[in-house]
């Protein structure tokens, strides 16, 4: 468990290093995710990493809720242009959720028929 | 007596207790009712904000106090590599559909959002913030700033999209007959990023893997392509 957490933190730190050197547009944890994916490709997932990631992923909503409280700071602009912003969000979700799901399902079905 | 009470109320420990209590209650409520509208992220956030107001905490001090919990978001993002790896074979088998869906869906999300909000009179900084709304928060905030948007607003819009999307996803997917876990995962990750991925984890490993893939890939693609598109657009505008 602790070894797994250590591995995750080290990968994030390596991600931070790469971000500072060459990839300023990508956040360190996302680079760390890619690095860890590459690393486990070389071998297999150790038991400790399995445990640490399962434990952490279960608390993902908690960790997202904390930065989300930042809504208290950005609320003014939101309220001022609420109709345009709200419509933009709702309309794009209404159209793009079916688009992404249906497109992916059709493409996969088509690929299977080709095989 | 009241002095001692105030001291404890404003101690870092209280902020952590408030945060954990909000999450425990939100999770209980969500499981008890099963209502999608009561997303744990949303309820936890609302309870924390109510708690901050009630205890009259300073917001910056609150964020400082909960760093011991908040820093875990980084390693947790890295941990998404695990479901991704476990479903590598399925992802590799569907690489072509994944790429097409990412490109077509990603462009559609940005275009439809800009068109709708633009027609209704949103100004340029708000539009430049809106384009980042489907990207996971750590990418969206610096990206919005880079494009001339507002980072604080970006965080709000990303969260609204995540919660709203996660509420709208299951009924819309049911309506359109999307049942395959991989296709559901793609829709979750592309439209509701991390909040959608948290919900996809409830549906199973394959769904979560594709959600994490869609969220990560869409984030990376947007971060790389959108600044180029905006620069190209301004350049065309300067010519014409």
């Amino acid at each position: 468990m602790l070894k797994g957490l250590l591995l995750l933190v080290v990968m994030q730190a390596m991600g931070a290093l790469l971000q500072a050197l060459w990839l300023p547009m990508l956040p360190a944890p996302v680079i760390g995710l890619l690095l860890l994916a590459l690393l486990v490709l070389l071998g297999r997932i150790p038991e400790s990493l399995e445990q640490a990631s399962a434990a952490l992923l279960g608390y993902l909503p908690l960790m997202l809720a904390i930065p989300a409280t930042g809504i208290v700071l950005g609320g003014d602009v939101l309220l001022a242009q609420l109709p345009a912003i709200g419509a933009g969000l709702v309309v794009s979700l209404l159209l793009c959720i079916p688009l992404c799901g249906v497109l992916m399902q059709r493409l996969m079905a088509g690929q299977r028929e080709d095989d | 007596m009241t002095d001692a009470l105030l001291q404890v109320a404003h101690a870092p420990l209280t902020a952590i207790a408030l945060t954990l209590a909000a999450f425990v209650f939100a999770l209980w409520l969500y499981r008890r009712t099963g209502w999608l509208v009561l997303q744990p992220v949303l309820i936890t956030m609302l309870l924390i904000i109510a708690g901050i107001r009630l205890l009259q905490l300073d917001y910056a001090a609150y964020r400082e106090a909960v760093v011991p919990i908040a820093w875990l978001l980084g390693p947790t993002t890295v941990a998404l590599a695990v479901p991704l790896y476990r479903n590598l074979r399925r992802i590799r088998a569907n690489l072509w559909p994944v790429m097409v869906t990412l490109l077509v869906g990603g462009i559609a999300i940005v275009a439809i959002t800009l068109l709708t909000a633009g027609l209704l009179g949103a100004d340029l900084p708000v539009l430049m913030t809106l384009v980042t709304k489907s990207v996971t928060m750590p990418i969206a905030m610096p990206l919005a700033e880079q494009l001339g948007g507002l980072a604080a607003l970006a965080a709000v819009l990303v969260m609204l999209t995540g919660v709203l999307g996660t509420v709208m996803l299951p009924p819309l997917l049911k309506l359109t007959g999307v049942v395959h876990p991989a296709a559901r995962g793609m829709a979750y990750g592309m439209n509701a990023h991390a909040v959608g991925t948290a919900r996809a984890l409830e549906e199973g490993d394959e769904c979560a893997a594709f959600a994490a893939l869609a969220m990560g890939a869409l984030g990376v693609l947007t971060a790389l392509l959108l600044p180029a598109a905006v620069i190209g657009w301004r350049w065309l505008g300067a010519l014409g």
Side-chain angles (χ1 to χ4, degrees):
Chain A
M1 172 86 182
L2 257 184
K3 276 186 216 153
L5 183 60
L6 176 63
L7 184 59
L8 292 171
V9 173
V10 169
M11 286 299 120
Q12 190 189 346
M14 304 262 286
L17 184 67
L18 288 179
Q19 180 198 32
L21 290 177
W22 298 300
L23 297 163
M25 64 293 214
L26 295 182
V30 172
I31 304 175
L33 191 168
L34 297 173
L35 288 176
L36 181 62
L38 285 177
L39 191 73
V40 290
L41 267 183
L42 299 175
R44 53 176 57 244
I45 298 181
E47 174 83 27
S48 59
L49 179 60
E50 194 94 38
Q51 288 170 350
S53 63
L56 285 175
L57 287 174
Y59 298 129
L60 185 56
L62 167 65
M63 291 156 209
L64 291 169
I66 293 172
T69 56
I71 199 164
V72 295
L73 300 178
D76 298 345
V77 193
L78 176 72
L79 288 180
Q81 305 193 29
L82 193 62
I85 293 173
L89 294 186
V90 172
V91 172
S92 81
L93 284 171
L94 270 176
L95 296 176
C96 295
I97 290 170
L99 172 73
C100 295
V102 171
L103 184 64
M104 179 73 183
Q105 192 161 275
R106 290 257 169 92
L107 287 171
M108 284 192 304
Q111 199 181 41
R112 219 144 286 143
E113 277 163 27
D114 289 346
D115 291 343
Chain B
M1 175 61 199
T2 38
D3 267 8
L5 209 63
L6 211 64
Q7 217 163 27
V8 173
H10 287 196
L13 202 60
T14 307
I16 292 180
L18 166 68
T19 307
L20 292 180
F23 179 62
V24 168
F25 179 75
L27 216 54
W28 173 82
L29 192 69
Y30 180 62
R31 289 195 181 137
R32 186 70 194 260
T33 61
W35 292 353
L36 286 171
V37 199
L38 301 177
Q39 281 304 310
V41 178
L42 178 71
I43 303 301
T44 308
M45 177 197 91
L46 292 175
L47 288 175
I48 293 174
I49 292 176
I52 291 175
R53 290 274 152 82
L54 211 67
L55 297 172
Q56 295 176 342
L57 304 180
D58 173 49
Y59 183 67
Y62 166 79
R63 287 298 289 269
E64 182 78 22
V66 294
V67 162
I69 306 175
W71 78 272
L72 283 167
L73 182 56
T76 307
T77 307
V78 179
L80 284 169
V82 173
L84 217 56
Y85 170 80
R86 263 197 242 119
N87 289 275
L88 199 68
R89 203 173 298 154
R90 288 203 192 92
I91 291 169
R92 217 186 262 157
N94 291 301
L95 206 56
W96 181 234
V98 167
M99 298 301 283
V100 174
T101 308
L102 273 175
L103 271 179
V104 175
I107 292 171
I109 289 170
V110 170
I112 293 171
T113 310
L114 284 183
L115 216 66
T116 313
L119 283 177
L120 287 169
D123 61 23
L124 196 65
V126 167
L127 287 178
M128 285 300 113
T129 312
L130 267 170
V131 293
T132 65
K133 61 115 183 155
S134 291
V135 184
T136 177
M137 207 182 293
I139 299 185
M141 292 178 68
L143 187 63
E145 216 154 63
Q146 193 189 345
L147 298 174
L150 315 154
L153 182 64
V156 176
L157 293 187
V158 168
M159 194 39 61
L160 275 177
T161 305
V163 172
L164 208 61
T166 307
V167 172
M168 289 166 70
L169 268 150
L172 278 173
L173 291 178
K174 193 176 176 193
L175 199 72
T176 47
V178 179
V179 289
H180 197 291
R184 294 180 71 89
M186 288 294 288
Y188 272 118
M190 290 181 68
N191 289 289
H193 51 88
V195 186
T197 304
R199 157 80 196 171
L201 279 162
E202 294 172 28
E203 286 196 15
D205 213 41
E206 185 179 1
C207 188
F210 277 87
L213 172 74
M215 173 184 77
L218 187 69
V220 173
L221 272 179
T222 312
L224 296 177
L225 294 182
L226 207 56
V230 169
I231 290 168
W233 180 258
R234 288 204 185 124
W235 191 66
L236 278 177
L239 282 182

